[in-house]
Amino acid sequence: MAAKKLRRAQLSQELCERLNRCQITTCQDFLCLSLLELMKVTGQSYYEVQKLLCKVSRACAPKMQTAYEMKLSKSVNPSSAFLSTTLHSLDRVLHGGVPCGSLTEITSPPGCGKTQFCIMLSVLATLPVSMGGLDGSVIYIDTESAFSAERLIEIAGNKFPTYFDSDEKLFCMTRNIHLYRELTCCSVLKRIMSLEEEIISKKVKLIVIDSVASVVRKEFDTKLQGNLAERSNFLTRGASMLKYLAEEFSIPV
Amino acid sequence: MQREVGSLPLAPGLRARLAAAGFQTAQELLETGPCGLSKEIGISKEEALEALQLVRQECHGDAARTAGGLGTTRKFTALELLEEEQAQGFIITFCSALDNMLGGGVQLTKITEICGAPGVGKTQLCMQLAVDVQIPECFGGVAGEAVFIDTEGSFMVDRVVDIAAACVHHCQLIAEAQQEEDHLKALETFSLESILSHIYYFRCRDYIELLAQVYLLPEFLSEHSKVRLVVIDGIAFPFRHDFEDLSLRTRLLNGLAQQLIIIANDHKAAVVLTNQMTTRIGQSQSTLVPALGESWGHAATVRLIFHWDNSQRLATLYKSPSQKEATIPYHITPHGFRDVQPPAVTPNAEGTEMNPRKRPRREEEKQ
């Protein structure tokens, strides 16, 4: 939205050309300038500039929804709001399971079972909706190289023996889990940025990142100055992108 | 400003004296000032002041006609302000200790900032306020609507439904206990659907959308004139990443703060912002301070800091022009934001007290 070109914000042609000459081409550039600078650049009066600001803002402002409309749209599709974890007490505490459309974080000391939990969620996501799954693919971003495909098959076979009764079904399920091994912060970020198209093309219903902390701790030492800012930069960029993906596609992350 | 002295509507004797002293344009008169004028022409200071005010009015009239009518700044006496402030409403938070600490609740026409670590209850309070601003006047509320600008995506409609249901229930109990006619009439319109349809929700994904939305807010507020609360949940989040140029960030934040102050004053609305905490690394230890820097600290009139003390949530009034600093505990229950009940529950006149239960935290596993 921010990178929307001013041309498409319904400003007049000659105004756009004038702004282009000063390197202002997108809504972002326009809104970052102060009123005085805008007056100088466009050569118009205070009131005209305010009207222009309103026009450009309208082009990139978000749409309004009342809370009531949100509730109605949610209640239309209640079953798809959660991914049940099949641990009944956990589902009860979470009011249904891992929520779709938002980020969920799992933290613990090493060895408690985070990766196992993630593998199990991946299996659950590929199950059809009638069995409590999401009937879709899974994107698994692994930074610790802890994902084991054999363990995946073991979990699937033991937890749902009636469903995975043939090898064919097992292979079908494993084909739906896309694994990416990323070992640096940069590549993790790049991978997250490129996920949008993959989600649409592969009908992804779950994104798992295992784990964010390990790759960040490897690269950024908080004792060194300047690293703190870069680290939080990386984290917030990744987080906002993931939030956007989760909300846009209504999938759990 | 370049008007000839001869064309100004002054007394002829005065005009003659001004001409004799060599004044030709109105600009020169205004530059001299009343004391200088009285000395040069030999009139008293009050007469000089009167003359100058006349001149100024004339010139101002011309200027106003050419510029298309600038809004004049309003002047108030402190008495008028006092009357206005006393008649102003507060938005209650349903936590009486917090309301007392704030002097009645969240004040209209002021910017209140809530800072805290993640998970401590900032968004909960914002959702509670968005419901509480709609309480009808006969129950002690301001009967307004709410605008909720969300940058972090933590607005959960189901939670607002819970909070609103508890609020309606509370008002129903009051109405039953007091049995007044306007209470019952107000209750007819104060229902779950009406509460939810008067919360206007905007989801801003980055700082440009946030800026654009704030530019468009005055227009939106003039269309929806009943809005009394603007909540921006997460003002720090979009500004904390992707900003290489810190001076641009400070400038944008200052501009944002000024616009919010104008909005709060013009539309008599309360503005509530939530901020994150960041770590400031000192010589020997690191402390948690509100994010966005020192210059942002001047933007908010009232600052609340939420923090944990073992497992009790506390709210500290960090900055306020009229209340003293204090810290109070609070709870977040399934019904919303509430007080901490003392161990012996005293019977209440309304009989509505819900025992506060610790709300389970939203993380999956706490090892």
Side-chain angles (χ1 to χ4, degrees):
Chain A
M1 274 294 175
K4 198 165 175 173
K5 295 282 183 204
L6 282 174
R7 247 181 305 118
R8 295 197 290 125
Q10 292 165 1
L11 291 182
S12 70
Q13 186 65 17
E14 41 145 326
L15 196 58
C16 287
E17 278 168 28
R18 193 164 174 172
L19 292 170
N20 260 341
R21 266 178 269 143
C22 305
Q23 316 282 320
I24 303 172
T25 46
T26 63
C27 290
Q28 183 163 357
D29 304 328
F30 193 84
L31 288 174
C32 278
L33 297 174
S34 72
L35 268 177
L36 279 180
E37 287 171 4
L38 282 175
M39 281 167 67
K40 200 164 56 153
V41 156
T42 58
Q44 305 205 346
S45 74
Y46 182 74
Y47 289 99
E48 298 293 315
V49 166
Q50 289 220 314
K51 279 197 234 152
L52 278 179
L53 263 177
C54 278
K55 236 196 210 170
V56 173
S57 302
R58 231 186 296 271
C60 46
K63 212 171 58 98
M64 192 240 340
Q65 268 184 317
T66 63
Y68 191 50
E69 289 166 14
M70 287 170 69
K71 174 167 171 276
L72 285 179
S73 60
K74 256 201 169 182
S75 56
V76 160
N77 223 346
S79 58
S80 68
F82 292 101
L83 168 61
S84 157
T85 60
T86 68
L87 299 170
H88 294 295
S89 25
L90 186 60
D91 282 342
R92 206 166 4 107
V93 166
L94 292 175
H95 285 265
V98 174
C100 292
S102 53
L103 288 182
T104 311
E105 185 186 15
I106 306 173
T107 61
S108 75
C112 283
K114 302 188 288 291
T115 308
Q116 301 298 311
F117 190 70
C118 291
I119 297 181
M120 191 180 77
L121 278 183
S122 318
V123 171
L124 289 173
T126 54
L127 291 178
V129 180
S130 54
M131 291 187 61
L134 295 175
D135 195 22
S137 337
V138 176
I139 288 187
Y140 198 105
I141 301 181
D142 188 6
T143 63
E144 293 175 328
S145 305
F147 187 85
S148 150
E150 291 216 4
R151 181 72 182 129
L152 177 74
I153 300 190
E154 199 184 338
I155 291 181
N158 284 333
K159 199 149 170 87
F160 302 104
T162 50
Y163 183 69
F164 291 113
D165 46 6
S166 68
D167 281 347
E168 180 59 46
K169 286 240 178 81
L170 280 175
F171 290 148
C172 191
M173 186 258 308
T174 49
R175 248 202 301 273
N176 274 338
I177 301 189
H178 306 279
L179 180 71
Y180 298 101
R181 284 227 161 90
E182 313 287 351
L183 294 170
T184 64
C185 282
C186 234
S187 54
V188 169
L189 203 56
K190 256 195 259 171
R191 176 62 60 193
I192 296 178
M193 299 291 172
S194 70
L195 277 181
E196 196 170 345
E197 295 180 12
E198 305 221 1
I199 296 179
I200 303 181
S201 61
K202 295 189 183 134
K203 296 211 196 356
V204 171
K205 289 287 187 251
L206 172 69
I207 301 178
V208 178
I209 301 191
D210 180 20
S211 69
V212 157
S214 71
V215 65
V216 163
R217 283 172 128 172
K218 267 191 292 197
E219 288 194 18
F220 295 108
D221 181 7
T222 47
K223 301 232 184 34
L224 292 176
Q225 222 184 13
N227 265 358
L228 201 55
E230 251 195 73
R231 189 176 89 151
S232 51
N233 206 348
F234 160 73
L235 285 172
T236 38
R237 268 170 81 186
S240 61
M241 189 62 194
L242 287 171
K243 276 198 217 228
Y244 167 69
L245 290 173
E247 285 178 11
E248 191 65 33
F249 298 105
S250 281
I251 57 177
V253 173
Chain B
M1 276 303 191
Q2 297 307 314
R3 275 181 72 161
E4 291 270 334
V5 167
S7 64
L8 292 169
L10 299 167
L14 193 53
R15 242 185 285 167
R17 289 202 210 188
L18 287 173
F23 283 105
Q24 284 193 331
T25 63
Q27 176 81 3
E28 291 174 0
L29 279 180
L30 289 172
E31 273 173 11
T32 316
C35 296
L37 201 61
S38 69
K39 280 195 203 116
E40 283 215 26
I41 311 184
I43 53 177
S44 73
K45 293 204 182 89
E46 286 82 14
E47 286 176 23
L49 183 62
E50 265 186 48
L52 274 183
Q53 279 175 344
L54 217 90
V55 170
R56 202 171 279 136
Q57 239 179 359
E58 279 296 303
C59 298
H60 215 67
D62 292 343
R65 262 171 269 150
T66 49
L70 289 164
T72 47
T73 46
R74 294 169 297 187
K75 294 181 289 192
F76 287 108
T77 61
L79 181 62
E80 288 169 21
L81 271 182
L82 179 66
E83 286 167 7
E84 234 188 74
E85 273 182 28
Q86 280 177 342
Q88 221 168 62
F90 292 93
I91 306 178
I92 62 171
T93 60
F94 267 110
C95 171
S96 55
L98 187 60
D99 287 337
N100 287 337
M101 188 169 77
L102 290 172
V106 172
Q107 234 180 333
L108 297 180
T109 76
K110 299 268 189 301
I111 301 188
T112 308
E113 186 181 356
I114 306 175
C115 317
V120 75
K122 310 185 287 289
T123 310
Q124 297 294 312
L125 181 59
C126 291
M127 295 198 276
Q128 180 77 55
L129 288 172
V131 169
D132 288 347
V133 73
Q134 306 190 33
I135 296 180
E137 278 162 11
C138 52
F139 293 108
V142 293
E145 303 174 355
V147 166
F148 199 103
I149 300 180
D150 190 5
T151 58
E152 295 173 343
S154 36
F155 184 80
M156 301 262 130
V157 187
D158 303 313
R159 185 68 181 133
V160 178
V161 166
D162 287 341
I163 295 179
C167 187
V168 169
H169 182 69
H170 192 93
C171 291
Q172 277 171 344
L173 289 173
I174 297 182
E176 274 170 36
Q178 299 190 356
Q179 285 292 337
E180 276 179 38
E181 204 187 289
D182 47 350
H183 280 190
L184 298 168
K185 220 166 45 154
L187 264 185
E188 284 168 31
T189 49
F190 189 60
S191 68
L192 200 57
E193 286 85 29
S194 83
I195 297 181
L196 288 181
S197 20
H198 290 312
I199 300 182
Y200 304 109
Y201 177 77
F202 297 88
R203 174 78 171 94
C204 294
R205 296 256 150 74
D206 52 33
Y207 71 95
I208 290 296
E209 287 189 21
L210 181 62
L211 282 178
Q213 191 53 50
V214 175
Y215 277 128
L216 292 177
L217 260 188
E219 208 186 297
F220 184 83
L221 290 183
S222 3
E223 283 168 28
H224 299 87
S225 56
K226 286 189 75 186
V227 171
R228 289 283 173 272
L229 174 68
V230 174
V231 177
I232 303 187
D233 188 9
I235 196 141
F237 186 64
F239 286 102
R240 283 186 89 182
H241 59 100
D242 268 349
F243 253 103
E244 300 87 23
D245 186 5
L246 277 185
S247 58
L248 175 66
R249 187 179 94 163
T250 318
R251 192 175 37 141
L252 289 178
L253 281 174
N254 283 337
L256 204 63
Q258 279 183 344
Q259 277 165 337
L260 290 173
I261 294 178
I262 294 178
I263 289 175
N265 273 324
D266 284 347
H267 300 272
K268 284 216 178 7
V271 175
V272 174
L273 313 168
T274 56
N275 199 356
Q276 295 171 346
M277 302 293 264
T278 182
T279 331
R280 179 189 292 164
I281 307 191
Q283 274 96 358
S284 52
Q285 22 123 0
S286 53
T287 47
L288 275 182
V289 295
L292 295 183
E294 288 292 321
S295 48
W296 177 251
H298 299 293
T301 319
V302 176
R303 217 173 207 194
L304 279 172
I305 298 194
F306 286 1
H307 52 110
W308 292 91
D309 178 21
N310 295 328
S311 53
Q312 175 62 50
R313 298 170 203 252
L314 299 171
T316 304
L317 186 64
Y318 190 67
K319 173 185 174 192
S320 163
S322 56
Q323 305 295 322
K324 78 174 180 161
E325 280 189 22
T327 303
I328 53 111
Y330 65 91
H331 260 165
I332 300 194
T333 68
H335 301 287
F337 214 77
R338 294 290 186 273
D339 273 310
V340 172
Q341 282 289 334
V345 176
T346 51
N348 217 321
E350 303 154 351
T352 67
E353 282 321 331
M354 329 170 217
N355 288 318
R357 282 162 280 151
K358 243 339 197 346
R359 189 166 198 280
R361 295 190 72 181
R362 273 178 176 260
E363 281 157 6
E364 289 207 42
E365 284 169 345
K366 254 183 102 176
Q367 306 282 348

